[in-house]
Structures are given as structure tokens and as C-alpha cells.
Amino acid sequence: MTLRLPNARRTAVSVLALSFALAVGACAATTSRPVPINYVKPADSIVTDAARAHPDLWPHAASPAAMTDPATEAFVTELMAKMTLEEKVGQTIQADIASIKPEDLLTYPLGSILAGGNSSPGGDERASAQKWVELAQAFRRAVAQRPGAKIPMIYGIDAVHGHNNIVGATIFPHNSGLGAAREPDLIRRIGEATALEVAVTGADWTFGPTLAVPQDDRWGRAYEGYGENPEIAQSYAGPMTLGLQGALSADHPLAPGRIAGSAKHFLADGGTTGGHDQGDFAGSEQEMIRTHLSGYPQAIDAGVLSIMASFSSWNGVKHSGNETILNDVLRGPLGFDGFVVSDWNAHGQLPGCSNESCALAFNAGIDMFMAPDSWKPLYQNTLAQVRSGEIPMARLDEAVRRILRVKVKTGLFNDARPVEGHLNELGSPAHRALAREAVRKSLVLLKNEGSVLPIRSGARVLVAGHADDIGQASGGWTLTWQGTGNSNADFPNGQSIWGGIQEAVAAGGGTATLSADGTFTQKPDVAIVVFGETPYAEFQGDVDTLDFLPTEPLETLKRLKTAGVPTVSVFLSGRPMWTNPEINASDAFVAAWLPGTEGGGVADVLIGDTAGKPRNDFHGALSFSWPKDAKGEPLNVGQPGYDPQFAYGYGLTYAKGGRVGALSEDSGVAGAIGSVDRYFVDGRFVAPWSLMLRDAGGEFRLGNESAGSSPRGGVAVRSTDGAGQESARTLTFGTVGGHALIAARPVDLVRQANGEMALAFRYRVDAKPTAPVLLTLGEGQVDVTAIFNAAPLGQWRTLKVRLSCLRDAGANLAAVEQPWGLRSSGVFGVTVEDVRLASNEGDTVCPTT
């Protein structure tokens, strides 16, 4: 929509520029910084002395004066005078596209929408870029048609490492790799490219840069941080903000192709005890400032337009409800004039709050609620709370002013979108070249014995492992939240590591052969083995140790070594992991992190010219300390007793090599570590979980091996083939029925339910049920009879039931001893495999109880 002010003179200048000029004339006395609105905070503060911030201890920063220039402030003041209470409250609510339709905005005056990690047009994660453009346009049309004040919406999306939601977009290395590059200008250019690719698909705002400083690499979001030392985030925060937004100006909004940024997650999300996502930072205020204030001052000084509050807490108090952090510090010494948005339903975690109602968070300093699926009741309740005085009107006006200010600076009041629909910018040659440069500069060489690297391009090269899997190289937050289920076909503008190696070797007259298991008929000159972590994001990415558990890569390396083939390991991971056995079995070892869609960048460094001379040297240096054992306890430069395998800043080059001797293969971890979210995988029950069969006569426990019929005739189990050899269990329920369940010690799945995780498993119906079949999780149970009856006999399918559904059906998610079970009172035959928690990718169900 076009901004129009009363008595505006018709000139050739843009309407938005004219509005600035008129506002200056009308309010020449307006100061460049807004006058804070002081209101009396309600007496229900949850802040304890241990979590009370003291503003005088904090360094100073300030949003640029251009954020609050007189023209903007005058325009916002005039607009707010026309707004109804309902319109003001609507500005503070953000809904997810999976839970709202454009026509809803004709009734509810919401100010924002977002596309969450598993949200997409029509629920299709592989929707075309044009569908994304059409979705944005449909919502904007609805906003333009609603009566009352004409206020545009702001549309946010998680562009974590490029515009990672869109098929065909450029996927850059994750931040853990970019931190190793130590190059701020590279980060600025990545921000600029990302902003353009987001803008062409119709979004206005990204939830980044991420400024976490991970202190425990077991955290599932460690790869979203640039490094363990805040110096890297401090050097990157300003350039990334300027790359996304450009410099703020009092004369005009953001330039076409620029989008609003949101520094996150404020504060200390990388410092939680045990690396638990959404956990607690148990530390002093000085430590929080020293380590976790990170690059926020630099982002604020650069003009970042919004900040996202963290799910996490400080000494037991959630940041989303801590007014001393969100108001006293952020609006005080840090001088931030943009708005604060909460994380996904984070307000619902505060005492006395729910996803549908939380005055406490708003009064503490949250200006916009991220209420993906709870937006409708939250809007109604927030409206009632303002009317009752529980939320002061002055506080609402303060939040609305901040939001409108950002919308003006972002240029949303101007109809013109000159880059929208220019889908040729997605995965453009220039952006791909930039991503390839980023890959080259992020690689860290840990070992190079006998100068096996660089590889002569005319050599006979064997490539093994997961080299031809762009999805694994890209990691989480790639097309879907967890980054799972992707194939190379989903990356039409990308190149796998194998593709890059094959191209480079062919150019030098050599031959490259892809053999996933490392077998060969003609002995190669050298072998490159690509392996590492499979994709994950928060929740599923949290681990108990840093032990790299898969055995196949090590077996492949050892076989090649026995055959006399020099080996190069390319390790894909979001964090350092204990890989001493693999390093020992390799002649060269490269930490490639999660490089994204430009695998050719790996080949640029590993493959030399025809004479074996480097085409590009290694550039990267560790931004995370590499562990000497697998325990996973915090290991950060400067801490007492610091003793890593490879120190922060370590990285070999061709120009300056170094020798790595034999490393200890004692992991330091005794026995199996329990899994919270994986129960039955690859034909085995993951420790500490085991299968139990229960019938009228009692119960008995089974381990990983197959077992025959129950002596009591209720339910029998046997091993059978599924996706792999004996990877499944066939359950046969007899005439008296029974209950097959997975059980162990209690685990807490509350966080996973908050993240809309689901209980998932593959199944094959072998005999239709003659009685109801219930899926159980603890005391919770839902009826899945209709699902099994509808499944064709003998065909494999996947069932995913949301944890929140099972919680509502009676499960106590705070103490789950039996995370999966099937119960029936009649004859039924089913084969199951791969029982685990999985992300909701628009494919979950909630059966009736």
C-alpha cells in the first residue's frame, strides 16, 4: 500500500520521501531520539536478585539517530492517533503461515506473519519460489483490504545460512564454519546476498544475525554460533547487519533488496548448563557481559531493527520475562530503539502464563509476541488485558511505536517492491561463487601427514562415504527445520562435494570414482572419505557426549589403510567432535563443518594442479576448540585447565604445515550414554531403552535380539528385515491382545513438545486389527485403529503423532518412562522400525483418543 498523509503536495518525489519532509515541517522540534515512555510496572515481576541486571555495569551502544529521525517519529505519532485499540494490539501479534490464512487478516488486524522452519505454501516444503511470492502477495492483499488504519504487515523468515527455506536458493556454510574464516567482509557480502534472495520471494525480515557464543558443544544449536570466543561475533555482527539492511538513513528507507535483521537470541542462549536448548545460564552478570553480550552492541550500533529474546533463562528466570534485561539494560546503556520479538511461543513458558495469555512477558519488554499457532486467543486475551489495565496503555503505545518505526524504516509503507519476483537471483552465479568462496575459506586442516594434500589433479582418486549428499553437507535449517529428508534433486543450483571433486580431477586429466563403501577394483592413488553428522537442529541436536558414534567411516578408513591407499578424511559436522580414531586412520583430516550447496569449494582446496601444487591454500582456523576426549564438557579458550586436542585458532596450511602424532583413542566415556529422542534405530534399541511385552499375566523385558511368542500368548515379537537387514520388529497380537512398549528410566520431553516434535515410526501392517489399537506414551494414548485399517497390507508407511497431542491425551511429558507403545485387545500384526522423535514438517497427525 502507498503511504498518504493529509495535505500532501503532489510532486515527482516518492510518496515516502514526501512524508518525511512533511513530518519534519510539522514537528521541527521533535528530537532525534524518542522520549522513553515511563510506566509503573505491575507488581508481578518474576525477577529474583540472582537474575537482576544492573545497568551501570553494562557497556554503552546506541541505535543510529536515523532510526528515530523526526520525520519517522512524527509520522508514527500521527498514525497512532488514528488507530483503534484493536489495531494497536494486533500490531503486537505474529502468526505462522501454517496457522493463519490471508482472509483471517480481514478480521484480525495482526501486524506480522512468519514462516517457521517447517512452514511453507500449502504445507509443501518443496514449493516453488513463485508459490512463496504468491503467498506473500496474498497476505499483503488481505491487509490492504481490511478497514481502518492502513498499516502494512511485516513478514519474517529464518534465513539461517542463506534463504534456506527455498528450493534453488544459495545455501551458505553454517556459522560454525564461517567463524573459522575470520573474515568480516565475507560476512557482509553473505548478508547482502541473503537479503536479496529473501526479498525476491516477498519476505521483509529475517531472524538473524545469530550472536550466540556456544560454550558447550553438546548444544544442538552450536553450529548457529560463530565460535566459542565472543571476539568473532563482535567482529561479524556489524558487517552482517549492514549486509542485510544497509546503513539506516533519515532520508529514505532500506534500499530495494535489503531486509530487516533481528539479532538473536538475547541473551546467553549459548551458555546454558549442559548445552541444553532453552536451558539456564547459571552464572554471574559479569560473566554474561564478558562472554554473552557478544556482538549485540555492534549490531545495535550498526542499526539492527529488531532483537529476538531468548527462550533460555538466567539463574532460573526466563529472559522473556526479565524486565531488567529487556528494558533496563537493552533500552538503557545499550540504547536500542527497535522492537523486541519473542521466540516461538516462548511467552508460554513463563510462570502463570500460557501460549494463549501472557501479560507478564509484554510488561517485561516483549513488543511482539511470536505466537505461531496461538495467535487468535493471545490477541483476544491481550486486548482484554489492556482494557483491564493489566497491561498499561502506555506500555502498549511504546511497543506499537517501536514496531511502526521499524516498518517505516524497512520501507513497508511504500507499495513498490522492485526486486520481488526476480527469481533469477536465487542461486545466481554471483551468489554461488560467493558461497564457494566461503566454503574454501572455512575449511580447517587438522592433519596432513606425508603431504598427501593437495592431490594432483591427474591422479586416480577414489571418493567414499557421503560425498554425493548435498543435504548432509548443508545440515539442519535446510528446506525443513531439522534438514532431514532432502535429496540432491532439492538443490537444483547446488553441487555436491563429489561433483566438485569429479570436476576438478577431470579438468586435470585424472579419474575420480565414487564408491560409497570405499571398495574398488583398481587401486587408487588416493582416497577421499566424506563422513560426519547427519542433519539436526535444536532438540534433536542436543547430545550427551561429543563421541562420533558411526563405525562405518572408521572401518572404511582402516580397510583403505590396510590396502596401502593414502586417505583424506573430510569431516562434516556442526561442531567439533571426538574423532581421534578417525584422525589416526587418516593421512589427512579436514574439518569442513557444514559447507552447504557449493561442494566445489572443498575440491578447490583439496585438489591441486597437474603438478600437485595448491590451487588454493587452507585459510580457516578453529573457532571452536577440538576436544581431546568425548565427554563433551565445556572446553573454551581461556578457561582454567584448558587442554584441547587442537586449540582455538589452530589450522594448518600448505605453506606452513605441522605434524600430528598418534592420538589417544581413550574416549573418556564409560558405557553407553542414554538417548532422549532415539528409541529403536537400525534394528537395535538405543540405550537405555528396551522392549517390554505386557499382557494379562504381567510383563517381561526383551533386549535387542529377537524373541519368540509370549509364554502368556498376548503378544509376540521377532526380528525381520525392513529398510535394512533385521532392522525391524514384527509384533503379533494374539486373541487376548497385549501391549508392546519401549521403556527405561524417566526422561523429560516438555521442551520437545514446546517445539512441536512428534513421536515417529515406520510401520507395515501385516494383519488388520480386530479390535481397537492404541498408540501410547506413558499414560497418554490415542486411537490409531483407523490409520492401521486404512494402510494397505504389506506396504511401509510412516506415522508421526505430535507430542502435544499425546500430552493432551494424558501423558506426563516431564517424566516419560515409556515413550512408545502399541496396545490392542484383539488380533493384529504389524512390523515397526525407526522409532524416534522427529520434527513436525507438516506431516504430523493428532488422532482422537
Side-chain angles (χ1 to χ4, degrees):
M1 64 194 64
T2 301
L3 173 66
R4 289 185 171 85
L5 296 180
N7 305 319
R9 293 180 295 113
R10 298 182 182 275
T11 70
V13 300
S14 72
V15 178
L16 185 57
L18 177 61
S19 73
F20 281 117
L22 289 175
V24 171
C27 299
T30 303
T31 59
S32 61
R33 286 188 58 82
V35 177
I37 299 175
N38 296 314
Y39 58 90
V40 178
K41 294 188 180 72
D44 60 351
S45 172
I46 61 173
V47 177
T48 64
D49 288 343
R52 187 177 307 281
H54 301 84
D56 57 315
L57 299 178
W58 294 68
H60 285 256
S63 295
M67 188 184 292
T68 54
D69 62 89
T72 298
E73 296 306 300
F75 169 68
V76 170
T77 297
E78 182 175 353
L79 181 57
M80 289 180 64
K82 302 174 183 177
M83 294 172 67
T84 66
L85 177 61
E86 290 79 4
E87 289 169 337
K88 288 182 178 181
V89 170
Q91 288 299 303
T92 71
I93 307 292
Q94 181 185 64
D96 185 78
I97 61 170
S99 300
I100 191 170
K101 295 180 175 61
E103 52 265 34
D104 290 325
L105 294 179
L106 298 174
T107 304
Y108 296 90
L110 269 57
S112 180
I113 61 170
L114 81 150
N118 281 330
S119 301
S120 53
D124 179 8
E125 296 289 357
R126 274 75 183 170
S128 69
Q130 182 59 38
K131 291 294 184 184
W132 284 89
V133 174
E134 292 168 1
L135 177 142
Q137 292 174 343
F139 276 102
R140 289 203 304 271
R141 280 195 301 271
V143 171
Q145 292 168 10
R146 67 189 177 196
K150 298 302 181 183
I151 304 172
M153 69 173 192
I154 186 167
Y155 167 22
I157 199 164
D158 281 289
V160 178
H161 57 142
H163 195 13
N164 44 259
N165 299 275
I166 309 296
V167 171
T170 309
I171 306 299
F172 293 95
H174 268 296
N175 286 352
S176 55
L178 295 180
R182 304 293 210 284
E183 190 166 316
D185 186 64
L186 174 67
I187 301 306
R188 179 192 60 78
R189 289 182 286 139
I190 289 173
E192 192 170 341
T194 299
L196 180 55
E197 294 203 14
V198 169
V200 302
T201 60
D204 317 300
W205 175 27
T206 183
F207 304 123
T210 298
L211 301 177
V213 183
Q215 298 294 283
D216 192 318
D217 298 341
R218 294 171 292 185
W219 185 36
R221 305 190 78 162
Y223 63 71
E224 295 186 50
Y226 293 117
E228 69 191 39
N229 191 308
E231 67 182 6
I232 304 177
Q234 288 164 355
S235 70
Y236 280 6
M240 178 56 84
T241 298
L242 292 172
L244 292 169
Q245 299 183 173
L248 298 185
S249 170
D251 300 324
H252 56 77
L254 303 188
R258 304 286 188 157
I259 60 174
S262 187
K264 68 177 187 182
H265 306 85
F266 194 76
L267 192 63
D269 52 337
T272 61
T273 302
H276 294 303
D277 192 58
Q278 302 183 18
D280 183 55
F281 168 65
S284 68
E285 186 172 6
Q286 290 81 0
E287 183 183 353
M288 186 159 64
I289 295 170
R290 182 171 58 251
T291 301
H292 299 289
L293 182 56
S294 180
Y296 287 99
Q298 290 79 8
I300 291 169
D301 287 343
V304 72
L305 289 168
S306 68
I307 286 176
M308 183 182 292
S310 178
F311 268 118
S312 60
S313 57
W314 171 35
N315 290 333
V317 177
K318 289 285 186 179
H319 289 303
S320 296
N322 190 333
E323 72 274 6
T324 71
I325 291 290
L326 297 181
N327 189 67
D328 300 349
V329 167
L330 191 56
R331 306 298 182 177
L334 294 186
F336 178 58
D337 290 330
F339 72 84
V340 175
V341 62
S342 65
D343 210 331
W344 187 278
N345 276 334
H347 55 277
Q349 298 183 12
L350 298 183
C353 289
S354 69
N355 291 351
E356 300 176 353
S357 177
C358 194
L360 190 155
F362 196 79
N363 287 334
I366 296 295
D367 298 312
M368 181 183 287
F369 289 108
M370 185 183 288
D373 53 357
S374 56
W375 60 269
K376 191 176 294 185
L378 183 64
Y379 166 77
Q380 299 288 7
N381 286 324
T382 304
L383 187 61
Q385 288 157 354
V386 176
R387 285 172 172 157
S388 72
E390 186 177 1
I391 293 176
M393 190 66 200
R395 170 68 192 111
L396 176 64
D397 283 343
E398 179 181 62
V400 172
R401 173 172 291 275
R402 292 167 179 167
I403 294 166
L404 295 179
R405 176 186 299 149
V406 169
K407 290 184 175 184
V408 171
K409 304 312 294 187
T410 306
L412 302 184
F413 284 91
N414 192 339
D415 281 341
R417 288 179 173 262
V419 303
E420 185 173 285
H422 291 199
L423 302 181
N424 58 301
E425 297 291 353
L426 292 171
S428 69
H431 293 174
R432 290 191 62 187
L434 176 60
R436 188 163 178 159
E437 176 190 351
V439 174
R440 286 197 301 270
K441 292 180 174 178
S442 65
L443 302 177
V444 179
L445 180 61
L446 299 184
K447 178 182 179 180
N448 189 21
E449 300 298 303
S451 298
V452 66
L453 290 175
I455 297 168
R456 182 173 54 86
S457 59
R460 183 182 299 113
V461 182
L462 176 71
V463 183
H466 299 283
D468 198 29
D469 189 338
I470 299 176
Q472 181 163 346
S474 299
W477 285 105
T478 303
L479 298 185
T480 64
W481 175 36
Q482 296 290 329
T484 55
N486 295 324
S487 70
N488 286 359
D490 296 319
F491 305 100
N493 295 324
Q495 183 182 48
S496 69
I497 295 173
W498 153 249
I501 293 172
Q502 182 185 37
E503 184 178 82
V505 172
T511 60
T513 303
L514 181 65
S515 172
D517 62 2
T519 57
F520 56 85
T521 55
Q522 186 177 13
K523 184 178 178 180
D525 297 320
V526 64
I528 300 173
V529 184
V530 181
F531 61 96
E533 293 187 290
T534 53
Y536 58 83
E538 62 259 47
F539 302 123
Q540 287 189 290
D542 288 2
V543 293
D544 291 311
T545 77
L546 294 179
D547 196 357
F548 180 66
L549 296 174
T551 59
E552 294 85 355
L554 182 58
E555 292 167 357
T556 299
L557 288 166
K558 287 182 174 180
R559 283 199 312 272
L560 291 166
K561 193 176 189 71
T562 300
V565 178
T567 55
V568 176
S569 286
V570 176
F571 187 60
L572 304 175
S573 69
R575 52 192 158 202
M577 301 199 75
W578 187 74
T579 50
N580 282 11
E582 289 79 9
I583 294 174
N584 284 340
S586 307
D587 294 289
F589 194 95
V590 178
W593 312 106
L594 297 170
T597 53
E598 290 305 316
V602 176
D604 288 345
V605 182
L606 268 59
I607 309 299
D609 61 18
T610 55
K613 299 297 183 182
R615 294 184 298 143
N616 296 276
D617 203 346
F618 282 90
H619 178 93
L622 290 179
S623 58
F624 292 87
S625 303
W626 204 272
K628 186 173 283 187
D629 60 42
K631 296 175 186 176
E633 296 166 350
L635 176 68
N636 302 295
V637 63
Q639 73 181 38
Y642 178 66
D643 184 26
Q645 188 67 71
F646 301 106
Y648 174 87
Y650 174 91
L652 302 177
T653 66
Y654 293 140
K656 185 178 180 180
R659 189 176 186 282
V660 176
L663 307 180
S664 169
E665 297 193 7
D666 180 3
S667 71
V669 175
I673 300 297
S675 172
V676 172
D677 57 4
R678 299 167 71 248
Y679 311 120
F680 178 57
V681 179
D682 296 330
R684 293 191 172 274
F685 292 93
V686 181
W689 306 103
S690 57
L691 184 67
M692 297 176 67
L693 303 182
R694 175 182 296 158
D695 53 36
E699 63 184 37
F700 60 93
R701 184 181 300 271
L702 297 176
N704 288 333
E705 302 306 319
S706 62
S709 299
S710 162
R712 300 174 182 85
V715 59
V717 61
R718 63 179 175 84
S719 296
T720 190
D721 292 348
Q725 185 176 11
E726 295 197 352
S727 64
R729 293 291 186 272
T730 295
L731 304 174
T732 303
F733 294 77
T735 55
V736 298
H739 191 185
L741 56 113
I742 295 173
R745 55 172 174 74
V747 296
D748 186 347
L749 299 181
V750 171
R751 291 185 307 117
Q752 285 80 354
N754 291 339
E756 276 302 285
M757 300 292 285
L759 179 59
F761 62 99
R762 294 186 73 231
Y763 69 92
R764 183 189 69 204
V765 175
D766 303 316
K768 297 287 186 179
T770 61
V773 180
L774 302 176
L775 174 67
T776 66
L777 186 150
E779 296 302 312
Q781 58 184 33
V782 293
D783 191 333
V784 291
T785 313
I787 293 172
F788 287 136
N789 271 327
L793 289 173
Q795 291 188 15
W796 283 98
R797 293 192 167 191
T798 298
L799 177 60
K800 296 170 72 173
V801 177
R802 293 189 295 278
L803 288 178
S804 58
C805 174
L806 289 155
R807 175 197 62 203
D808 296 342
N812 175 15
L813 297 184
V816 177
E817 294 180 334
Q818 300 164 5
W820 179 91
L822 288 177
R823 174 188 293 144
S824 181
S825 59
V827 175
F828 176 44
V830 64
T831 300
V832 298
E833 68 175 359
D834 200 23
V835 183
R836 65 174 74 214
L837 298 187
S839 65
N840 179 355
E841 299 178 2
D843 54 355
T844 61
V845 296
C846 186
T848 57
T849 56

